[in-house]
Amino acid sequence: MTENQFQNFIKFLQKDYNIYVPVKEASEVVIKRIESSVDVEVIHELPLHGWKKFLMPSCHAMFNFDKEKLDYISPVVEAIHELPLPQILLGVSTLDLRAMALYNQAFEKDPWYQDIKKKTIIIGQSLAPKDKYSFWIEKFEEDQLEHLPFDIFIVVKPDNKDKYKIFTGSEDGQRLLDKYGDKNYEHADYVGPNREEGFDKRMNDVREAMKNKHNQKIWDDLGRRCIECGKCTIACPTCFCFDIFDTPTKEKNQGTRERSSTSCFYQEFSEVAGANPQASKNKFLKTTAERIFFWYEHHFVRMPDDYGVVGCVACGRCSKVCPVNIDIFKEIRKILGQLEVK
Amino acid sequence: MKNSYETISAKIKNIKEEGSNSKLFTLERPRGFEFGVGQFVIVSLPGFGEAPISICSDPNDKKSFQLGVRKAGKVSSEIHNLKKGDRVGIRGPYGHGFPIELAEKRNVLLVAGGLGLEPLRPAILEIIANRKKYQKVQIFYGAKTESDLLFSNEYDNWLKNDINFNLCLDNPSGKFNLKCPFIEGLVTVLFEKIPLAPDPIAFLCGPPVMYKFVLEKLNKAGFKDEDIFVSLERRMNCGIGVCQHCAIGGKYTCKHGPVFSWADLKEYKGGYNII
Ligand code: SF4
Ligand code: SF4
């Protein structure tokens, strides 16, 4: 597609969808719903707060209850707050698509997540962020596409007249392009998140090192620096820990059961109820060092073990938001023994 | 798609005081509800929330199952207000319990501290139901004081079924007319006083501090790590290995546990002590 054709295609999609796209604003990139009058620009930079709230609201009602009976509640996604239309997430980078692949696995049997997915079209794009973390990011090649989950993917070729090369990755994607009347696309069937040779070697090395080469000095040092604010867990596109709790209404025995995202850095995260009033005895993650180890362990050990997908997509968001400048890539190099631990 | 968070309703058939601050609930066993020794359910009390509770009854009983609940948090306190005939939501059973099949034809040692007797009671009842399958069976049970004792009206029956039941009380009040003899002290003193049957398999359930000392004793007594099974308690929300609250190393207490072999658990801990 040429620039013109692409803008027309987006305008065509806007009739039936709320479209969200990353937009540069002052020093930050934010995700915004686009108005039909503006042209869309596909950008390199990642939105600081990623896409996860569009796929898993940070808090949602799971059930209405009445006595012991639970009634399923369909989740309300961001888009529906603005206009009651399904949503298109446009301009999702390959990094964030990989994070979505992980969510798809983790919430494969989760009816709320699946409900939202049904009302969501994902349009990926090939531009990668150009910042200091880039050395961790694989350069885009078309053969990656069969490992990325999307409905439509646009390979951006800034110097070509046909600036946008279009791929479809699902029937929904094909249907939209057919309806628009553009047959000029290729199809890339999703074959799963990993290449034949397994997942990213560098990340696999981290997993091995986390499991078998525990260096307490790294964690003691991080434990001294981290202030347990939990910002990294909010920003990270693969973090998904949650709590389940009930909110009763004034009516006796009625209310909602809700799910809300949480952070392993919060004190209550590992607390169990106990007759013992000394709370610390009923908490299993006791020190900051243990908490941050737990966080790394989730990304580099449990996520790969559970879903066969690495839990870090190298977006650098956790490092950008960290108030004490903990840089995950430096820490990874320490874990790998490539950087000296002081 | 089956919604894992939906609950089934179970009617309370009976409620009985059992130990201090704790009650034993007998519930109707819903159709198709099968559980193994040491598994747990998540009990749902709409308006208050959900809590994981281990099943403490005989898996061979097809009509009902039992939950021992100590008043501890919001949900368990509210469960205490329920009456006979009320209904609760349950989901599960979840997790891997004690591998009772590995205990067949072997000497068995069950070590319980405090409320830890609850998840082990299904093992005791299964052993009694099929007593010939198991060799020498020993129970080491430690509680704080007489009033804390769980299932005290059953000890006689355990003894009658050729189970070597040994009790110790940390802080006996002497106020109760306890028929069963006991030793004063923590559960570890039993290891000093009672000779162990050779080469047993051990199932443990109790508070973390108990594990520390009991594992030392077992180690000294020459137990193999693969023959020691430990039941752990963690905070749980989903029960299906997603929410992360109960993670230990690479595993989940709700899914791979709550019972782990000590050999595996040692591997999981990374640099940290898991117990
Ligand atoms: S770089 Fe940080 S924020 Fe990004 S995926 Fe990895 S752990 Fe999460
Ligand atoms: S953002 Fe930094 S300080 Fe805050 S919890 Fe994460 S690592 Fe710790």
Side-chain angles (χ1 to χ4, degrees):
Chain A
M1 285 185 189
T2 64
E3 182 68 49
N4 238 333
Q5 286 166 331
F6 175 67
Q7 298 300 341
N8 280 335
F9 177 52
I10 302 301
K11 296 215 162 62
F12 162 82
L13 294 174
Q14 262 173 332
K15 285 186 226 143
D16 298 319
Y17 292 91
N18 285 315
I19 303 185
Y20 291 88
V21 62
V23 182
K24 272 186 244 178
E25 241 180 28
S27 60
E28 243 183 61
V29 178
V30 293
I31 300 172
K32 286 200 133 182
R33 186 168 69 84
I34 46 164
E35 305 293 337
S36 49
S37 50
V38 254
D39 278 358
V40 171
E41 190 195 351
V42 180
I43 57 175
H44 282 273
E45 294 84 350
L46 298 175
L48 182 60
H49 292 285
W51 301 94
K52 67 181 177 184
K53 70 172 179 187
F54 292 90
L55 295 173
M56 186 54 101
S58 58
C59 189
H60 74 95
M62 305 170 83
F63 299 104
N64 269 325
F65 57 74
D66 192 355
K67 298 223 183 73
E68 93 275 14
K69 204 169 143 282
L70 302 174
D71 280 319
Y72 180 80
I73 303 179
S74 290
V76 176
V77 291
E78 187 82 1
I80 294 173
H81 290 302
E82 300 198 27
L83 287 172
L85 291 175
Q87 59 183 357
I88 287 181
L89 310 183
L90 171 66
V92 183
S93 69
T94 57
L95 279 66
D96 284 330
L97 287 177
R98 292 223 303 278
M100 287 177 187
L102 191 138
Y103 260 57
N104 290 348
Q105 307 256 100
F107 295 100
E108 191 185 3
K109 294 189 183 127
D110 190 274
W112 295 275
Y113 181 78
Q114 294 303 332
D115 259 10
I116 294 175
K117 284 283 294 187
K118 265 185 236 145
K119 296 177 198 154
T120 306
I121 295 288
I122 291 168
I123 305 185
Q125 56 103 348
S126 60
L127 300 179
K130 296 179 190 159
D131 59 24
K132 62 174 177 165
Y133 307 116
S134 311
F135 67 94
W136 277 98
I137 300 167
E138 266 181 279
K139 203 174 154 289
F140 176 77
E141 305 282 354
E142 280 178 16
D143 66 0
Q144 291 165 12
L145 288 176
E146 56 181 16
H147 304 291
L148 296 171
F150 55 81
D151 296 292
I152 295 173
F153 191 92
I154 42 193
V155 180
V156 186
K157 304 188 167 182
D159 306 328
N160 282 20
K161 185 174 138 295
D162 272 340
K163 193 174 157 192
Y164 303 100
K165 183 172 176 192
I166 308 290
F167 286 85
T168 57
S170 73
E171 280 177 21
D172 281 342
Q174 286 174 320
R175 185 179 45 81
L176 285 174
L177 279 152
D178 291 347
K179 206 172 148 201
Y180 172 64
D182 189 332
K183 295 261 180 254
N184 208 359
Y185 59 80
E186 284 178 36
H187 188 74
D189 254 332
Y190 183 60
V191 297
N194 292 312
R195 307 237 177 114
E196 274 154 33
E197 64 269 21
F199 47 68
D200 189 315
K201 168 146 188 336
R202 284 175 307 183
M203 289 299 181
N204 198 29
D205 291 345
V206 186
R207 170 168 167 260
E208 280 306 304
M210 285 285 298
K211 277 190 163 177
N212 302 320
K213 293 187 198 122
H214 186 89
N215 179 351
Q216 191 58 41
K217 269 163 109 189
I218 300 173
W219 309 102
D220 287 344
D221 169 56
L222 283 171
R224 276 189 293 271
R225 288 153 64 202
C226 166
I227 57 168
E228 302 191 348
C229 67
K231 282 190 172 180
C232 50
T233 59
I234 297 169
C236 174
T238 65
C239 273
F240 58 69
C241 303
F242 57 81
D243 287 336
I244 296 172
F245 55 89
D246 285 3
T247 307
T249 55
K250 282 203 190 107
E251 297 299 315
K252 200 169 176 266
N253 295 325
Q254 287 179 11
T256 50
R257 177 157 294 167
E258 290 167 40
R259 175 161 63 180
S260 132
S261 56
T262 184
S263 165
C264 55
F265 286 97
Y266 298 159
Q267 296 291 318
E268 331 70 85
F269 187 83
S270 62
E271 261 170 29
V272 293
N276 195 330
Q278 288 157 286
S280 68
K281 289 211 169 143
N282 295 318
K283 195 161 67 187
F284 290 95
L285 299 172
K286 292 192 177 71
T287 63
T288 313
E290 273 177 89
R291 287 168 194 281
I292 199 156
F293 179 78
F294 184 93
W295 190 80
Y296 275 70
E297 209 177 33
H298 186 205
H299 290 81
F300 298 107
V301 179
R302 288 194 292 278
M303 289 186 192
D305 283 0
D306 293 348
Y307 311 119
V309 181
V310 262
C312 174
V313 299
C315 69
R317 289 183 176 105
C318 55
S319 311
K320 271 183 210 148
V321 298
C322 180
V324 298
N325 296 323
I326 291 173
D327 174 345
I328 193 166
F329 302 106
K330 258 193 202 153
E331 300 308 323
I332 290 177
R333 284 167 62 209
K334 288 183 201 163
I335 295 168
L336 291 171
Q338 296 169 352
L339 195 70
E340 198 199 333
V341 189
K342 282 185 211 111
Chain B
M1 181 172 22
K2 188 184 166 289
N3 187 336
S4 318
Y5 298 93
E6 257 160 23
T7 56
I8 43 174
S9 158
K11 191 168 155 189
I12 300 173
K13 284 165 69 173
N14 198 18
I15 306 173
K16 184 175 164 254
E17 299 280 339
E18 186 72 70
S20 54
N21 238 336
S22 116
K23 285 184 181 176
L24 181 66
F25 292 81
T26 307
L27 297 115
E28 243 167 43
R29 192 159 157 170
R31 202 171 299 157
F33 182 83
E34 294 286 333
F35 66 92
V37 171
Q39 277 195 301
F40 68 95
V41 287
I42 288 185
V43 176
S44 150
L45 220 59
F48 301 91
E50 296 185 306
I53 296 173
S54 44
I55 307 172
C56 67
S57 56
D58 186 352
N60 301 300
D61 176 356
K62 300 290 172 210
K63 291 219 178 78
S64 53
F65 69 101
Q66 293 178 312
L67 304 172
V69 184
R70 174 178 283 185
K71 242 190 216 184
K74 195 163 76 173
V75 181
S76 56
S77 302
E78 195 52 34
I79 294 177
H80 271 232
N81 295 334
L82 294 172
K83 305 210 166 38
K84 191 173 157 178
D86 284 347
R87 290 180 162 274
V88 291
I90 53 164
R91 50 192 184 93
Y94 290 121
H96 285 82
F98 290 103
I100 191 80
E101 64 292 348
L102 297 182
E104 285 177 23
K105 300 203 184 92
R106 291 192 63 177
N107 294 329
V108 186
L109 171 68
L110 308 176
V111 186
L115 292 178
L117 189 59
E118 270 161 9
L120 284 171
R121 183 168 167 254
I124 301 170
L125 296 173
E126 151 59 27
I127 288 169
I128 292 176
N130 296 292
R131 187 64 191 88
K132 287 210 184 81
K133 279 197 199 164
Y134 308 91
Q135 301 285 315
K136 259 199 149 163
V137 178
Q138 291 182 293
I139 301 176
F140 286 8
Y141 175 36
K144 256 199 212 95
T145 186
E146 290 92 333
S147 58
D148 286 336
L149 289 175
L150 297 171
F151 313 116
S152 51
N153 59 343
E154 298 178 19
Y155 306 157
D156 267 354
N157 189 40
W158 299 353
L159 288 161
K160 250 187 248 150
N161 279 282
D162 189 26
I163 291 177
N164 174 230
F165 174 69
N166 303 284
L167 178 66
C168 66
L169 295 172
D170 186 17
N171 192 9
S173 68
K175 275 190 217 140
F176 291 78
N177 186 10
L178 195 64
K179 274 189 238 135
C180 169
F182 66 88
I183 294 177
E184 200 170 327
L186 295 167
V187 79
T188 38
V189 303
L190 292 173
F191 285 87
E192 281 146 29
K193 309 261 157 113
I194 316 289
L196 287 172
D199 192 35
I201 181 167
F203 294 171
L204 277 52
C205 189
V209 304
M210 180 192 101
Y211 290 141
K212 199 169 155 239
F213 294 108
V214 169
L215 284 164
E216 267 170 32
K217 293 279 179 200
L218 295 181
N219 194 310
K220 265 203 205 121
F223 275 73
K224 291 192 230 70
D225 290 343
E226 330 45 288
D227 281 340
I228 304 173
F229 293 85
V230 180
S231 180
L232 297 184
E233 185 193 14
R234 285 293 184 276
R235 181 182 178 136
M236 286 173 193
N237 277 246
C238 72
I240 50 173
V242 186
C243 76
Q244 299 301 312
H245 289 277
C246 74
I248 297 177
K251 304 287 166 183
Y252 301 101
T253 311
C254 69
K255 191 167 136 190
H256 307 97
V259 176
F260 294 94
S261 96
W262 179 238
D264 289 345
L265 214 46
K266 270 171 84 182
E267 294 294 309
Y268 298 156
K269 65 182 174 181
Y272 287 98
N273 292 321
I274 29 117
I275 55 167

